[in-house]
Structure formats: structure tokens, C-alpha cells
């Protein structure tokens, strides 16, 4: 077994421990879309003497309905478990269906968080003719049940037969047993309709499932607030599970636990005007403090809002000498002290520490000894509950603090003892990836790691990614999916919080408009602990298809030990192998780029029957490609309703505009892309699909797996209008109608018509989203990606020359970035990028781009870039 696979196996073990469960769609969905789970479909076990059913249950406060039904055909009886919310309590009922109530169990809702898991157990004593029902530690009994000595039960969760009244709930760790046998269902599936035991036996099926493991990878969008004319501020209170969104005249509260939004004014006017909206929460006093570090006006003060009475109080004038954008801060309840560090203003980076005490109503500038902590902004700060010390990570700035000296990105961690006034540098790590900055908030749950969101702030349409760093040495990995952020304005900010009550991460993203006053706040949550893409993909591979997926407990132990021994060596090996392969492939791309440009320029078109993996496939002229205009918002591509985007981040918006990308598992995305790509020719056959996705399975298993996957794709596509999966002439194809937009289809239409210049704006906005299938790395898609990139790069090469000749320098820069998505060492794009910046008098940025390209060139090609900056600018061939 390869060392890299051992690492994946280690991830699988950790993943199976933390992330599992099945969520049921309830009454808020149409009946046909509600979840139904048949526990025993392929297995028909018989239980003797006892039938015990236990599981963890997560319920919703505001819904009622049936959770579980158990049929006893021997006696003609049906028992059900129902749930309802009654005057501050949650009420469980065990009923003999159609006859009478057997047991009622009530719990105080105020003591039972909606997001906490309840321990549920139904124990049928077949010998004593009794039923024991347990909720957590609360146990109830019903006798005289008239139960059989042996029972072959039919067990259903959620929608079943005529019982369609289903609350929204989730289950995990389902265990069904008697004295001699047991069936454990971890419910750790990633996708699909088949449910397996922990031993890998196919047992049951589920309709319309929502697998909880995806909540540990995909961020869930929860709520949005908007302030159009004034600056607003936002924060999260993990004690009440509330997001606070404040403007100078109103307070809006969103409860992440219940989903309830409330809004209202204040009982006294706000005494200050908001400029940055920086703030912190004092949870013990139930107050939020809003401050602006510096204002030209005399009202640059800190003000306090009592959240209980909604009354404002003005505390004091801020002592800051200048504005400090993107500083970091933390309020220590135990020490009753708010500490902030860093920031940027008046063309200077800050390395100052300030402390504010609500009790004494006093700001103090702090001094420290120890390791130097250079001036910076875009910096992250967190508090470690283990040692009660502050930690500061990353940012950008320089040693002098003078903006004109230039800025560097920091990837270092410092430990700050505010009591002893000491700073200790823990580590600094090399960074060979795209430069990023962290958000203000740092989450520290234990003594091993910290979590923060990072993003390349220099990009307008950027994405936040969750990083987990080791406190010991800075080793790190990306966990979860990314979150979009528009980072045009300096006041735009994001923050990260952890809620131990709900076991979730909460991200707040506040994007400001062009006037730096109006803003939009978006709220996202992610189940904790988060998982990586490799872990999710590996779990799907193990649990996604076929009965052989289950592994015995001893296999997991062996894999865990082997993975622990090999993890360090494997990571090193994978890093160097990937780097060598990347350099090799880039050398080959440099050789073939010229050929691709010449093919495009000469309008060579080859018949689809003559295509090969090394040449782009021509779209079939018979395929109808809708010419749907791409709407634009502030110069960027707006994600419209009823649309599928394959450039950049894989994104799907349903007919109502809701992001349903999470409904497409890794396999479902691959299946959709391959069928769509083949649809530009004649489609793809069942045999071809089987050879790609299930090459080592028997025909019987392949037929079942293929049918499940295709039905799942059809159901998921039904969330949109105007797109469908069809089977015609023994071939599968994806058909788009005009009311459904797909950027890939629109792009292929432009390229097929051989005149992208006619649709230049739309073409550029499509490719500006990012690389084609940017986040979908799979050997199954390599040929498809190569063909699309090959064709697009040839078109971009012509476009960049045309735009530069027309003195459209902004467009030239956009086209250069698009080419770099495909070939990061494309010299043609690089030269036009430099010349455009020079023509725009942006010489500093041009020099920076030169240095970045030289570094990238050496990393990919293994040698120094041979031409100097001035040599490129004076190249007569490109100055024409």
C-alpha cells in the first residue's frame, strides 16, 4: 500500500468518529421531498426475547410529527414515536398506532438545546410483554403489550406509508439488537440512498437523505443582513447563539439555534456615529461596546449598548493617534480587559497594543519585552483557554511600519502574556502557496491547534478557506469548503467564532459597498470538528458504493497504526512528487502553447470522431447551446438563479436562487461534468460510464450502482428548471434549455462560433471566475479539463493581443490572470501584463508582478527566469 493511502486511511478513522448522521427533511418540504428511511430492506433479521432500538436524536423546536414506526406483522400491530413542542416543553409519545397512547415523556426545552443530541432507547421485552422507553436518563414503562416471542420487525424513520407528518430531525449511531445479535448503523454515508451496517452489509435504503457528514465540510449559509446608508457592526455571542447586527438606529438579532430573526430600535439614541463599526461583547454584563479607534470628528468615542434594556451609554474618547484598519482584538472576561493589536492608517502599519477596561472606563497603551513583533495589519488574535494567553498570527506589513517601504506577508505565531508584558515568537513557516491574510478571529479549542479563515485579500472576488495550524510547529491543512468574499473595500472584514454549545464554527462576512458605508453581512456555519476534502472524498470512496466497503474494527486499528507511522514520510513524499510532476508538466505546456495558438488562429476544426485526449473536441453543431446573457454586478459575474457554474468554484443555484452545491457529492459532480462534456458530441453510453466509475465491479453491482447514481443526479437536477438528464439512442446527455444558465455551455458556444470577441465581456466574466473545474481534482476529469483549457488558452492568446492593441489595458490584465489560471508561467501573458501596467503608470505593481513571476518560473521550471524587468519592457516586438 502506498504511503499516501495510509494518510487517507488515518483521516478516515478520524472522520468516522466525528462526522456521521442522517438529517430528515420534514414538514417544510413537499411530501414527495420528505425523508424516508427503511432500516431493513435487504436484511430481514429476527429478534428473540428482546428487541432494543437505540439512537441519538436531534430535534427541532418548532415542528411536530412522527419520527419512528415499528411494524409487527405477527400480531398485526404498529408502534410509533411522535414528537411535539408544548408550552416550553418537548413531548415524546409512544403510541400503538390507531389505538392508544402507551407512554408520554416530557422534557424542559430550556434545559435541552435544539442542537444537542438526545439519547433515545426503545426496549421491547418480548418475554415480560413490556416496553421501556428512555430519553437521556428519564425512563418509562408500559406493560400488557401482547408482544410475540420472536419478532421480524419492519422499522421506518421519517415518512412512511400514509404517515407523512414528519418533523425536521436527525439521527446517528442507530443500534438494533437482542441478547445474541446486534446491528450498528453509524450512518456515515456521504451520498447515495443505500445504508450499510458498520460491518459493510447493505441493510436498508433512504429517500431524500441529507447526510450529516457533509455539514462538516460544506459551509451552510444561514442569514443575511443589509445596511444601505450607514456603517453597521456585527458580532456573535456564543453564550446565547446570537448574531448581532447593529446600525446607529436599530439592532437585528439572528439566533443560529432556532433560526429566528428579531429587530427593533433602541430605548435611547446612539451617542456616536459608526465609522469602522469595530466592537466587542462583554457577555457577563450582556453588553456590546462599539468603538472607532480614530476619527477626525470630536465624537470619536467608545459607546456601550446594554442588550437587555437596549440603552446606549457613552464611555470616553478614544486615545488613538490614527485610524487602525484590520487590527485584532480579544475581550478577556476573567481579566475584564479588552486588548487590541496592529492595524493600518495614515500610510503606516501599527505594532501598538492597547487595553481597555470596562470597569475603570480606561484605555491604556501597553509595552512589552521579548521577541520583536513587527508592525502589521490583517492580523488574527485568539485566546487559549488552556494557558489563558493571547496568540497572534500572520498579517502583512514590514519592520519599519512605513507603507512606502513595501509590505510583506507574515506567516508566524506569537504568544503574548498581557500580565507579564512579554512576547515570545513560537514559529515562522515558509509559504510557497498564494499569499493570504487571516481574519481577525482565531479559534482555539485545545492545546494543539488553532483555526482561522485565510484569503488572498488582493483579489476582488476572493474566497475564505479554513486553515488548521499546529501550535507546535505551524504545520497546517485546509479544512472544509471555501466561502466567497468580495474584498474590494478596506472596511470589508470577516470573523470566525466557535460555539461549544452547538459544536459549530460561525463565520461572519461583512462586505462594504463602493462608498464604504453600506454593507451586507452574511452568516455561515460549519459543524465541528471540520474535515478536509481528502477525508471527505476518501470516506465517500469507502462508503459510497458496493457491499465490500465495510471494514472490521481490527482493520481500522491496523490502518490507524500504519497511518500514524507513515504520515510524516508520506506528506514529504507527496509534496516532492507533486512538485516534480508540476515542473515536468509546465515544461511540456510551454512547448505546446505555441501549437495551440496556431491551431486557434488558423480556425482548424476537426470532426468529433477524430478527437483524441491531446486535442480539443469540437462541439457537436446539433447541440443547442442557449445564448443566455451573463448578468453583471459591480463588474463581476453575478450568480443568478437557476444556474450552474463550472468555472472557479463548483456552484449550483436552484430556481429560487438558493445555493444547493452541497447536494452534489464528489461522485455526482464528476458524473454531471463527464455527461455534460460528452453531450457536445453524441453523449456517453452506459458501458462507458461503467468503465469510468465502476471498472472493477461485477455487472450486477455496476447496474445497481449506476442506476442509483443516475437517479440521484436526475433528482438533484430537478431542483432547477430547464436542465435534464436524458437517455436517447442508447446514450446519456445533459440538455439545457434557455431558462437555465451554465457558464461552461455558454463558453463552449462562444468558442464554437469562433468569435469570442463578439461576446468579449461575457467571455471574460466567465473565465474571471477562475480555472475550469478549479476545485475538482480527479483523474476522471483530467482529459476533459485538458481539452477545455487547451481550447480556452488558444482563444485567450488571441484576445490578449487584440485587447492590448486596442489599448484596453484593464481587459488585458484580466485576460492575463485568466491565462495564468491555466499556465502560471505563460510568458506571452506575462509580458502583456507588464506592458499594460507600465502603460497605466503602475510601475510599482509591475515590478511586484515581475518578482512574483520570476519566483513562480523558478519553482515550476527549475531555473532562473532569463530576462530582466527592463529587457521585457523594452522588447520591440511587444511594444508594437
Amino acid at each position: 500500500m502506498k504511503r499516501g493511502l495510509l494518510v487517507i486511511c488515518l483521516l478516515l478513522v478520524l472522520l468516522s468518529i466525528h462526522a456521521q448522521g442522517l438529517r430528515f427533511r420534514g414538514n417544510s418540504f413537499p411530501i414527495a421531498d420528505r425523508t424516508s428511511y427503511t432500516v431493513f430492506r435487504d436484511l430481514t433479521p429476527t429478534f428473540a426475547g428482546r428487541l432494543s432500538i437505540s439512537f441519538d436524536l436531534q430535534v427541532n423546536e418548532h415542528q411536530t410529527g412522527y419520527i419512528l414506526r415499528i411494524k409487527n406483522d405477527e400480531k398485526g400491530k404498529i408502534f410509533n414515536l411522535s414528537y411535539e413542542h408544548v408550552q416550553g416543553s418537548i413531548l415524546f409519545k409512544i403510541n400503538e398506532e390507531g389505538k392508544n397512547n402507551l407512554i408520554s415523556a416530557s422534557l424542559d426545552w430550556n434545559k435541552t438545546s435544539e442542537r444537542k443530541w438526545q439519547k433515545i432507547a426503545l426496549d421491547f421485552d418480548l418475554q415480560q410483554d413490556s416496553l421501556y422507553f428512555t430519553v437521556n436518563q428519564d425512563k418509562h414503562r408500559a406493560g400488557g403489550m401482547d408482544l410475540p416471542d420472536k419478532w421480524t420487525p419492519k422499522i421506518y424513520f421519517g415518512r412512511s406509508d400514509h404517515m407523512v407528518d414528519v418533523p425536521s430531525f436527525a439521527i446517528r449511531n442507530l443500534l438494533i439488537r437482542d441478547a445474541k445479535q446486534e446491528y450498528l448503523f453509524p450512518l456515515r454515508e456521504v451520498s447515495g440512498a443505500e445504508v450499510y451496517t458498520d460491518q459493510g452489509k447493505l441493510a436498508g435504503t433512504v429517500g431524500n437523505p441529507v447526510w450529516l457528514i457533509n455539514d462538516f465540510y460544506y459551509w451552510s449559509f444561514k442569514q443575511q443582513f443589509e445596511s444601505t446608508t450607514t456603517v453597521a457592526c456585527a458580532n456573535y455571542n456564543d453564550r446565547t447563539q446570537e448574531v448581532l447586527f447593529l446600525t446607529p438606529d436599530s439592532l437585528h438579532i439572528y439566533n443560529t439555534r432556532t433560526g429566528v430573526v428579531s429587530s427593533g430600535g433602541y430605548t435611547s439614541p446612539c451617542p456616536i456615529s459608526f465609522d469602522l463599526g469595530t466592537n466587542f461583547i462583554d457577555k457577563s454584563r450582556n453588553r456590546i461596546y462599539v468603538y472607532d479607534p480614530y476619527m477626525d470628528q470630536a465624537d470619536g468615542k467608545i459607546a456601550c449598548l446594554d442588550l437587555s434594556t437596549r440603552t446606549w451609554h457613552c464611555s470616553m474618547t478614544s486615545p488613538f493617534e490614527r485610524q487602525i484598519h484590520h487590527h485584532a482584538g480579544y475581550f478577556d472576561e476573567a481579566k475584564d480587559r479588552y486588548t487590541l493589536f496592529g492595524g493600518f492608517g495614515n500610510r503606516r502599519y501599527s505594532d501598538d497594543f492597547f487595553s481597555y477596561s470596562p470597569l475603570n472606563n480606561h484605555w491604556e497603551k501597553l509595552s512589552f519585552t521579548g521577541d520583536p513583533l513587527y508592525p502589521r495589519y490583517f492580523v488574527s488574535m485568539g485566546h487559549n483557554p488552556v494557558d489563558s494567553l493571547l496568540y497572534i498570527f500572520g498579517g502583512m506589513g514590514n519592520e519599519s511600519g512605513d507603507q512606502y517601504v513595501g509590505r510583506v506577508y507574515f506567516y508566524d505565531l506569537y504568544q503574548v502574556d498581557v500580565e507579564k508584558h512579554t512576547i515570545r515568537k513560537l514559529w515562522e513557516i515558509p509559504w510557497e502557496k498564494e499569499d493570504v491574510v487571516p481574519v481577525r478571529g482565531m479559534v482555539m479549542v485545545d492545546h494543539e491547534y488553532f483555526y482561522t479563515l485565510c484569503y488572498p485579500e488582493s483579489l476582488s472576488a476572493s474566497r475564505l478557506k479554513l486553515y488548521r495550524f499546529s501550535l507546535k510547529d505551524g504545520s497546517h491543512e485546509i479544512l472544509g469548503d471555501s466561502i466567497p468574499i468580495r474584498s474590494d473595500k478596506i472596511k470589508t472584514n470577516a470573523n470566525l467564532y466557535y460555539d461549544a454549545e452547538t459544536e459549530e464554527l460561525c463565520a461572519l462576512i461583512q462586505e462594504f459597498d463602493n462608498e464604504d458605508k453600506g454593507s451586507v453581512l452574511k452568516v455561515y456555519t460549519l459543524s465541528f470538528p471540520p474535515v478536509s476534502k481528502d477525508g471527505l472524498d476518501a470516506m465517500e470512496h469507502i462508503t459510497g458504493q458496493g457491499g465490500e466497503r465495510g471494514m472490521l474494527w481490527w482493520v481500522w486499528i491496523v490502518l490507524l497504526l500504519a497511518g500514524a507511522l507513515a504520515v510524516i514520510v508520506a506528506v514529504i513524499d507527496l509534496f516532492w512528487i507533486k512538485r516534480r510532476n508540476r515542473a515536468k508538466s509546465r515544461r511540456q505546456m510551454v512547448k505546446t502553447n505555441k501549437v495551440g495558438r496556431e491551431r486557434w488562429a488558423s480556425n482548424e476544426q476537426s470532426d468529433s470522431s477524430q478527437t483524441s485526449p491531446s486535442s480539443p473536441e469540437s462541439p457537436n453543431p446539433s447541440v443547442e447551446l442557449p445564448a443566455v446573457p451573463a448578468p453583471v454586478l459591480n463588474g463581476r459575474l453575478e450568480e443568478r438563479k437557476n444556474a450552474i457554474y463550472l468555472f472557479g468554484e463548483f456552484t449550483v443555484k436552484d430556481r429560487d436562487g438558493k445555493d444547493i452545491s452541497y447536494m452534489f457529492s464528489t461522485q455526482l459532480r464528476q458524473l454531471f461534468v463527464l455527461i455534460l462534456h460528452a453531450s457536445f458530441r453524441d453523449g456517453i453510453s452506459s458501458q462507458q460510464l461503467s468503465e469510468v466509475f465502476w471498472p472493477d465491479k461485477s455487472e450486477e453491482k455496476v447496474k445497481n450502482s449506476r442506476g442509483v447514481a443516475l437517479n440521484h443526479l436526475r433528482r438533484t437536477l430537478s431542483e432547477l428548471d430547464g436542465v435534464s438528464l436524458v437517455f436517447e439512442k442508447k446514450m446519456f446527455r445533459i440538455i439545457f434549455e434557455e431558462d437555465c444558465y451554465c457558464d461552461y455551455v455558454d463558453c463552449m458556444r462562444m468558442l464554437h462560433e469562433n468569435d469570442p470577441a463578439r461576446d468579449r465581456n461575457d467571455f471574460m466574466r466567465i473565465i474571471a471566475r477562475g480555472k475550469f473545474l478549479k476545485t475538482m481534482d480527479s483523474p476522471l476529469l483530467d482529459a476533459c479539463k485538458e481539452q477545455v483549457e487547451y481550447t480556452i488558452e488558444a482563444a485567450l492568446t488571441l484576445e490578449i493581443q487584440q485587447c492590448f492593441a486596442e489599448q484596453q489595458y484593464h481587459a488585458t490584465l484580466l485576460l492575463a490572470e485568466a491565462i495564468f489560471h491555466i499556465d502560471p508561467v505563460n510568458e506571452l501573458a506575462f509580458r502583456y501584463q507588464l506592458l499594460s501596467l507600465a502603460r497605466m503608470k503602475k510601475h510599482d505593481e509591475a515590478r511586484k508582478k515581475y518578482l512574483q513571476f520570476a519566483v513562480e518560473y523558478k519553482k515550476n521550471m527549475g531555473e532562473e527566469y532569463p530576462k530582466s524587468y527592463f529587457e521585457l519592457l523594452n522588447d520591440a516586438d511587444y511594444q508594437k
Side-chain angles (χ1 to χ4, degrees):
M1 179 180 291
K2 295 182 179 180
R3 291 169 177 169
L5 293 178
L6 295 177
V7 179
I8 299 299
C9 292
L10 178 60
L11 291 171
L12 288 179
V13 176
L14 299 176
L15 193 59
S16 63
I17 292 173
H18 294 292
Q20 55 189 17
L22 172 63
R23 178 179 294 123
F24 287 71
R25 294 178 170 180
N27 296 327
S28 59
F29 289 85
I31 293 176
D33 295 336
R34 297 174 193 175
T35 305
S36 58
Y37 171 30
T38 302
V39 178
F40 294 120
R41 188 202 69 174
D42 289 50
L43 288 176
T44 54
T46 298
F47 299 87
R50 174 190 181 191
L51 171 61
S52 177
I53 305 172
S54 62
F55 53 92
D56 297 335
L57 175 68
Q58 192 182 80
V59 292
N60 185 290
E61 176 184 7
H62 302 288
Q63 296 188 12
T64 63
Y66 296 94
I67 293 174
L68 170 66
R69 298 178 77 216
I70 312 160
K71 292 185 178 181
N72 184 334
D73 290 342
E74 292 89 339
K75 293 285 187 176
K77 294 176 178 288
I78 302 176
F79 302 97
N80 66 52
L81 169 63
S82 65
Y83 160 80
E84 62 180 309
H85 182 266
V86 182
Q87 296 180 345
S89 298
I90 54 177
L91 181 64
F92 293 101
K93 290 184 177 181
I94 303 290
N95 310 290
E96 183 175 351
E97 199 166 286
K99 292 188 177 181
N100 60 304
N101 171 246
L102 303 173
I103 295 174
S104 295
S106 179
L107 293 178
D108 185 351
W109 177 255
N110 294 325
K111 298 179 181 179
T112 308
S113 171
E114 174 186 343
R115 295 294 177 90
K116 280 190 173 180
W117 292 93
Q118 317 300 321
K119 298 289 185 181
I120 304 293
L122 293 85
D123 198 346
F124 293 89
D125 189 332
L126 306 183
Q127 296 178 337
Q128 300 296 323
D129 209 31
S130 300
L131 166 63
Y132 296 91
F133 176 61
T134 305
V135 182
N136 299 324
Q137 303 300 320
D138 189 15
K139 193 170 185 177
H140 305 265
R141 177 186 178 277
M145 302 286 293
D146 189 24
L147 301 173
D149 295 331
K150 294 184 178 181
W151 192 346
T152 306
K154 295 180 180 178
I155 303 174
Y156 307 91
F157 284 88
R159 181 170 62 88
S160 170
D161 298 332
H162 61 281
M163 306 298 279
V164 297
D165 191 10
V166 179
S168 175
F169 68 96
I171 62 172
R172 69 181 184 186
N173 297 327
L174 173 62
L175 177 63
I176 303 175
R177 58 194 174 106
D178 60 14
K180 296 182 179 181
Q181 60 181 331
E182 69 176 30
Y183 297 88
L184 174 62
F185 302 90
L187 302 175
R188 57 173 174 247
E189 283 77 5
V190 179
S191 62
E194 299 174 338
V195 184
Y196 295 77
T197 70
D198 65 329
Q199 301 298 309
K201 295 181 179 179
L202 176 59
T205 57
V206 58
N208 303 313
V210 180
W211 296 109
L212 291 187
I213 195 171
N214 292 289
D215 291 348
F216 292 78
Y217 179 77
Y218 294 103
W219 288 91
S220 175
F221 173 75
K222 294 297 184 181
Q223 188 58 254
Q224 177 172 305
F225 295 97
E226 185 173 2
S227 174
T228 56
T229 58
T230 61
V231 172
C233 60
N235 212 315
Y236 180 72
N237 188 341
D238 62 354
R239 191 163 295 177
T240 59
Q241 288 75 54
E242 291 178 337
V243 174
L244 307 178
F245 185 72
L246 291 81
T247 65
D249 57 5
S250 60
L251 169 64
H252 309 271
I253 300 176
Y254 168 68
N255 191 298
T256 61
R257 180 170 57 86
T258 64
V260 175
V261 177
S262 59
S263 302
Y266 305 119
T267 57
S268 65
C270 179
I272 66 171
S273 59
F274 293 178
D275 183 37
L276 291 186
T278 43
N279 65 91
F280 64 89
I281 294 179
D282 181 351
K283 302 170 192 172
S284 61
R285 298 184 178 93
N286 198 28
R287 298 174 180 176
I288 184 168
Y289 290 80
V290 181
Y291 67 95
D292 286 318
Y294 172 80
M295 294 182 66
D296 294 332
Q297 305 170 3
D299 61 349
K301 303 174 181 179
I302 184 169
C304 163
L305 174 66
D306 188 317
L307 294 171
S308 301
T309 63
R310 299 202 175 190
T311 302
W312 282 99
H313 302 280
C314 186
S315 295
M316 65 172 296
T317 302
S318 303
F320 306 97
E321 299 176 354
R322 62 180 183 271
Q323 187 61 274
I324 46 175
H325 290 277
H326 291 282
H327 62 273
Y330 179 79
F331 182 70
D332 190 335
E333 285 191 43
K335 306 291 176 51
D336 196 34
R337 175 179 59 211
Y338 178 69
T339 303
L340 64 82
F341 164 77
F344 171 79
N346 301 103
R347 304 188 183 281
R348 292 199 62 84
Y349 308 114
S350 172
D351 61 353
D352 293 331
F353 282 88
F354 289 92
S355 177
Y356 174 76
S357 170
L359 181 63
N360 300 323
N361 190 26
H362 177 66
W363 281 100
E364 178 185 3
K365 187 174 182 179
L366 306 178
S367 299
F368 289 84
T369 61
D371 295 327
L373 178 53
Y374 295 133
R376 63 190 67 193
Y377 75 133
F378 278 107
V379 63
S380 185
M381 178 186 289
H383 177 266
N384 194 332
V386 177
D387 55 25
S388 296
L389 299 177
L390 294 179
Y391 288 77
I392 292 176
F393 169 73
M396 61 182 179
N398 60 46
E399 295 185 25
S400 69
D402 185 353
Q403 178 196 2
Y404 291 107
V405 174
R407 67 186 185 188
V408 296
Y409 289 81
F410 297 107
Y411 303 98
D412 47 13
L413 182 69
Y414 294 83
Q415 186 184 73
V416 179
D417 191 327
V418 182
E419 294 295 319
K420 297 180 180 180
H421 292 263
T422 59
I423 298 175
R424 183 164 71 96
K425 185 175 182 178
L426 299 182
W427 45 255
E428 183 173 1
I429 56 175
W431 196 266
E432 297 184 354
K433 300 180 284 293
E434 181 179 37
D435 281 321
V436 296
V437 296
V439 300
R440 293 174 181 169
M442 177 193 297
V443 169
M444 308 185 77
V445 180
D446 53 38
H447 64 283
E448 295 186 19
Y449 303 102
F450 71 87
Y451 300 79
T452 190
L453 291 165
C454 299
Y455 68 110
E457 92 300 335
S458 60
L459 301 179
S460 175
S462 188
R463 300 195 79 86
L464 293 153
K465 295 182 179 180
L466 178 65
Y467 282 77
R468 183 181 70 180
F469 290 89
S470 166
L471 287 171
K472 181 180 179 180
D473 57 16
S475 57
H476 55 276
E477 64 176 323
I478 297 175
L479 304 174
D481 198 8
S482 60
I483 308 174
I485 181 172
R486 181 166 54 91
S487 57
D488 290 311
K489 312 305 293 182
I490 192 170
K491 290 184 181 181
T492 291
N493 66 87
N495 221 328
L496 181 68
Y497 307 87
Y498 172 66
D499 194 319
E501 182 74 15
T502 61
E503 296 182 327
E504 286 182 329
L505 292 171
C506 180
L508 303 185
I509 293 91
Q510 189 174 10
E511 300 170 331
F512 279 79
D513 63 16
N514 292 330
E515 296 181 357
D516 267 338
K517 290 185 178 180
S519 64
V520 174
L521 177 73
K522 298 177 182 179
V523 182
Y524 295 84
T525 61
L526 180 72
S527 294
F528 191 89
V531 300
S532 67
K533 184 177 186 298
D534 287 341
L536 187 70
D537 289 347
M539 177 62 76
E540 182 171 26
H541 177 72
I542 294 297
T543 64
Q545 301 292 339
E548 71 278 7
R549 69 182 187 163
M551 292 191 177
L552 300 176
W553 62 271
W554 57 268
V555 177
W556 287 111
I557 293 178
V558 171
L559 291 175
L560 177 59
L561 294 175
L565 292 174
V567 62
I568 297 177
V569 178
V571 171
I572 294 174
D573 282 356
L574 289 173
F575 171 78
W576 285 110
I577 290 172
K578 182 177 180 180
R579 186 165 181 171
R580 287 196 299 268
N581 290 341
R582 182 170 53 189
K584 181 178 179 181
S585 65
R586 290 307 173 199
R587 291 190 186 98
Q588 183 63 32
M589 287 181 69
V590 170
K591 296 178 181 179
T592 59
N593 280 341
K594 184 177 180 181
V595 177
R597 292 193 294 269
E598 292 173 350
R599 285 180 64 92
W600 177 264
S602 62
N603 288 335
E604 289 186 5
Q605 298 292 326
S606 58
D607 187 79
S608 60
S609 62
Q610 299 174 335
T611 59
S612 67
S614 62
S615 64
E617 300 182 57
S618 302
N620 187 340
S622 65
V623 177
E624 295 184 5
L625 303 178
V628 183
V632 179
L633 180 64
N634 295 332
R636 62 189 177 92
L637 189 68
E638 179 188 2
E639 292 184 350
R640 52 177 286 172
K641 296 180 180 179
N642 211 57
I644 300 176
Y645 298 93
L646 301 184
F647 284 83
E649 197 79 18
F650 181 93
T651 305
V652 181
K653 295 296 184 72
D654 69 6
R655 59 178 61 89
D656 298 319
K658 178 184 176 183
D659 191 329
I660 60 169
S661 308
Y662 67 91
M663 296 178 65
F664 286 79
S665 65
T666 300
Q667 185 189 67
L668 212 61
R669 296 182 186 197
Q670 295 170 352
L671 185 66
F672 171 77
V673 170
L674 288 180
I675 297 177
L676 177 58
H677 183 64
S679 298
F680 288 98
R681 303 185 305 278
D682 298 322
I684 188 169
S685 67
S686 300
Q687 182 63 30
Q688 289 172 316
L689 284 177
S690 300
E691 292 173 354
V692 172
F693 287 98
W694 306 280
D696 301 324
K697 295 185 183 297
S698 65
E699 179 59 31
E700 182 178 352
K701 288 184 178 180
V702 166
K703 185 176 180 181
N704 180 61
S705 299
R706 187 179 63 230
V708 170
L710 291 171
N711 286 335
H712 191 186
L713 179 58
R714 283 193 179 94
R715 287 198 302 270
T716 308
L717 291 177
S718 67
E719 300 290 329
L720 297 89
D721 296 324
V723 58
S724 57
L725 170 63
V726 300
F727 185 67
E728 297 175 344
K729 299 179 181 179
K730 299 183 179 181
M731 305 291 278
F732 288 99
R733 295 171 60 220
I734 301 289
I735 300 297
F736 274 88
E737 299 174 6
E738 288 197 1
D739 51 349
C740 187
Y741 177 77
C742 177
D743 57 354
Y744 171 50
V745 172
D746 205 22
C747 182
M748 289 299 102
R749 173 189 61 79
M750 298 177 197
L751 296 177
H752 173 58
E753 293 173 354
N754 238 2
D755 188 16
R758 191 190 67 183
D759 303 294
R760 179 175 293 167
N761 289 338
D762 289 345
F763 180 67
M764 290 175 59
R765 287 164 190 147
I766 289 175
I767 52 108
R769 283 181 56 88
K771 187 176 181 179
F772 179 65
L773 303 180
K774 177 181 178 181
T775 58
M776 296 178 63
D777 295 325
S778 169
L780 300 180
L781 302 176
D782 284 349
C784 171
K785 294 171 73 171
E786 286 177 9
Q787 292 160 8
V788 173
E789 289 177 355
Y790 181 94
T791 307
I792 289 177
E793 185 178 10
L796 291 174
T797 300
L798 284 184
E799 280 298 292
I800 197 171
Q801 296 177 67
Q802 184 67 27
C803 284
F804 184 80
E806 296 173 0
Q807 300 183 10
Q808 298 184 30
Y809 300 128
H810 285 288
T812 302
L813 294 177
L814 288 175
L815 289 166
E817 290 297 331
I819 293 175
F820 289 147
H821 285 316
I822 301 172
D823 179 8
V825 291
N826 186 294
E827 292 190 72
L828 181 73
F830 172 53
R831 294 188 184 192
Y832 281 122
Q833 182 187 57
L834 285 190
L835 290 171
S836 296
L837 291 171
R839 298 282 180 88
M840 297 166 69
K841 308 300 182 184
K842 295 184 177 182
H843 298 290
D844 289 341
E845 188 173 350
R847 291 187 180 91
K848 179 181 177 182
K849 293 295 184 183
Y850 174 83
L851 294 174
Q852 290 176 346
F853 184 84
V855 171
E856 189 71 27
Y857 186 90
K858 183 176 181 180
K859 183 169 62 175
N860 284 273
M861 307 303 293
E863 58 187 27
E864 299 289 344
Y865 185 61
K867 294 194 176 183
S868 69
Y869 173 75
F870 293 104
E871 184 179 0
L872 291 172
L873 290 184
N874 294 324
D875 192 323
D877 291 337
Y878 288 89
Q879 290 285 359
K880 294 178 181 178

